[in-house]
Amino acid sequence: MTARRRVTALLLGAAAPVTVIVTAAVLKVTQRRMYADRYRIEVTARPRPDCPDCSGSGGRWTGGPFPEMEACSCWAARRELRIRLLPVPAWPDEPPF
């Protein structure tokens, strides 16, 4: 391993924890939730805890004989981000045995 590769490996090794800490702080401040697995990364909005309309519950119940939950605009109107990493494997029609 050359000296340049060692320096690059050390910098990348030191940058990973800093990236994780900064990402966690940004997600907390912007009221977003991140889900990651080997097939995708999803960043979705969360209800604001200080919202005057829903008080952080994410919605309110509509009246009537069949009440339904109506999503609050503090999180429902915000965009989601989905990044596909690997293709999801197809489910086999029949077991292989």
Side-chain angles (χ1 to χ4, degrees):
M1 183 180 267
T2 64
R4 176 176 265 173
R5 288 190 182 187
R6 280 189 213 135
V7 169
T8 304
L10 285 173
L11 288 175
L12 288 176
V18 172
T19 304
V20 169
I21 292 169
V22 169
T23 303
V26 168
L27 289 173
K28 187 170 182 102
V29 168
T30 60
Q31 297 298 319
R32 300 207 181 252
R33 178 178 305 143
M34 186 174 84
Y35 172 78
D37 61 10
R38 63 188 292 193
Y39 300 111
R40 67 188 172 276
I41 298 172
E42 294 180 2
V43 179
T44 57
R46 291 187 310 183
R48 287 191 343 237
D50 61 342
C51 177
D53 295 332
C54 68
S55 301
S57 64
R60 55 191 164 274
W61 290 99
T62 59
F66 303 105
E68 293 181 350
M69 185 71 142
E70 181 180 313
C72 184
S73 62
C74 71
W75 68 276
R78 295 187 351 201
R79 296 180 59 190
E80 297 178 350
L81 175 66
R82 288 191 179 111
I83 301 171
R84 250 178 73 183
L85 301 176
L86 294 173
V88 177
W91 189 262
D93 293 336
E94 296 181 13
F97 45 88

